[in-house]
Structure formats: structure tokens, C-alpha cells
Amino acid sequence: MIKLILIRHGESKGNKELRYTGHTNVPLTEEGRHQARHLAIRLRKENITAIYSSDLRRAFDTASCIAEGVNLSVVKEPLLRELHFGDWEGLTYNEIIQGWGKLWNHWFANPLEVAPPGGETLLQLQERVLKALFKITAKHKDGTVVLVSHAGPIKCILCYLNSLPLSAFWDIAVPPGSLKSCSLSPEAFAE
């Protein structure tokens, strides 16, 4: 059995400012660093065999804090990055609505097929993230594997693992510094 622990990075500057940061590197806030330390303490008793992280700073810094507590190194996996928001990267919700109101509403209503200008659809995100998941789980047939990522990738993984349609994406809450775990047989990850 594989125990998979999905962790969203601690609060970042982008979260606090309500910005779409996607592939943009932003640091953790002081609260985000506190959340990472809390996760590290919480996970010390787990028999973690591997830690993978998005290569973006906010996720990698969270993963590094956890790794210190269990004496492991973090493997960077760029496929675990957040949705690429294209031209919306770094903008606040209000700035996007002001500049692209009609497109934002269209994207929010149909993110599986509609992408931000120069960005990805949710379907493209899920395909990318599942490639990472299959690659990682092919290396670990048992044990406890930690994936530190972002809200979007975690929601995509949860939809897949729970046999939910990707349209359930908006119904799943993944706050900063949170974790979700599940135990599954390796066959559950077969493509």
C-alpha cells in the first residue's frame, strides 16, 4: 500500500494579496513559515519514504521544512506546479476582472476548456499533474510519499483519486498549509 500525503504550501505573499501567482515565484509569509513548521512537527511520526515538491519557492520551502524533520531530501518536480495563469500571473482578482471581466467569467464557468490568455486549462493542468503522480508512484510501490504542491494540482489529484469529474474542482477546499492523506494500492495509479 502507498500512503500518499498531499500538502498545500504554507500561506504565500500571493495568497495574502489575493493574487493569481501560478508559476510565479513568491515567498511564504511569516504565517506560511509557521504553517510549514507545524506540518513538520505533525509529520515527524510518519514513516515518510520520499518527499516531492513543486519547484516553486513557496512549495519547496514548505517541503524543505518537513524534510528537515524527517531527515530526507526533497525531490523537485516541476510537473507539480500550480496552473499557469498566463497574462493573469501576478494580478489580483479585481485587476483580472477589470481587464478581462467577460473572459474571467467564461473561464470561471468553464475552466476545463477555457484558459487564461497564454495559460493552461484545468484539463491541461490535470494531465500534467497526473503525469507526475504516475511517475512518482511508479517509483514507490509502498511506503509514505509526501507531495507538496498547490491548490490546483491537489484538487486535480483528489478528483482523480476519488473518481470525481474535474468539474468538482471548485467544490474542494485546500487551504494553505493543509494536508490530505489516503492509502491506496499501487494499482490505483495505473494509467
Side-chain angles (χ1 to χ4, degrees), residues 50-122:
I51 301 175
Y52 290 84
S53 174
S54 157
D55 62 337
L56 295 174
R57 181 178 172 187
R58 58 199 184 267
F60 186 75
D61 287 352
T62 302
S64 296
C65 190
I66 294 163
E68 277 182 33
V70 293
N71 201 25
L72 288 172
S73 57
V74 178
V75 179
K76 288 184 180 181
E77 178 48 75
L79 294 174
L80 292 174
R81 282 184 171 200
E82 179 60 278
L83 182 83
H84 190 292
F85 289 104
D87 294 346
W88 296 351
E89 289 276 328
L91 299 179
T92 65
Y93 303 132
N94 289 336
E95 289 168 337
I96 294 167
I97 291 168
Q98 288 174 4
W100 293 273
K102 187 175 180 181
L103 179 59
W104 188 87
N105 286 328
H106 190 50
W107 171 76
F108 195 80
N110 189 10
L112 277 69
E113 297 176 10
V114 177
E120 297 177 287
T121 65
L122 277 187

Side-chain angles (χ1 to χ4, degrees), residues 21-164:
T21 51
H23 285 206
T24 304
N25 254 325
V26 292
L28 294 173
T29 62
E30 183 55 43
E31 175 62 19
R33 288 187 292 277
H34 171 75
Q35 290 168 336
R37 289 189 297 270
H38 178 74
L39 285 164
I41 292 166
R42 183 175 176 186
L43 293 172
R44 276 191 192 136
K45 294 180 181 168
E46 292 284 341
N47 187 20
I48 297 171
T49 53
I51 301 175
Y52 290 84
S53 174
S54 157
D55 62 337
L56 295 174
R57 181 178 172 187
R58 58 199 184 267
F60 186 75
D61 287 352
T62 302
S64 296
C65 190
I66 294 163
E68 277 182 33
V70 293
N71 201 25
L72 288 172
S73 57
V74 178
V75 179
K76 288 184 180 181
E77 178 48 75
L79 294 174
L80 292 174
R81 282 184 171 200
E82 179 60 278
L83 182 83
H84 190 292
F85 289 104
D87 294 346
W88 296 351
E89 289 276 328
L91 299 179
T92 65
Y93 303 132
N94 289 336
E95 289 168 337
I96 294 167
I97 291 168
Q98 288 174 4
W100 293 273
K102 187 175 180 181
L103 179 59
W104 188 87
N105 286 328
H106 190 50
W107 171 76
F108 195 80
N110 189 10
L112 277 69
E113 297 176 10
V114 177
E120 297 177 287
T121 65
L122 277 187
L123 191 56
Q124 290 170 321
L125 171 65
Q126 188 178 51
E127 289 171 358
R128 171 169 55 83
V129 170
L130 290 181
K131 282 181 189 175
L133 182 67
F134 296 143
K135 182 170 81 170
I136 291 165
T137 56
K139 292 180 183 177
H140 306 278
K141 299 298 182 194
D142 59 11
T144 299
V145 178
V146 172
L147 302 182
V148 182
S149 190
H150 311 269
I154 292 171
K155 290 179 180 191
C156 287
I157 291 170
L158 291 172
C159 284
Y160 172 78
L161 293 178
N162 293 300
S163 301
L164 296 172

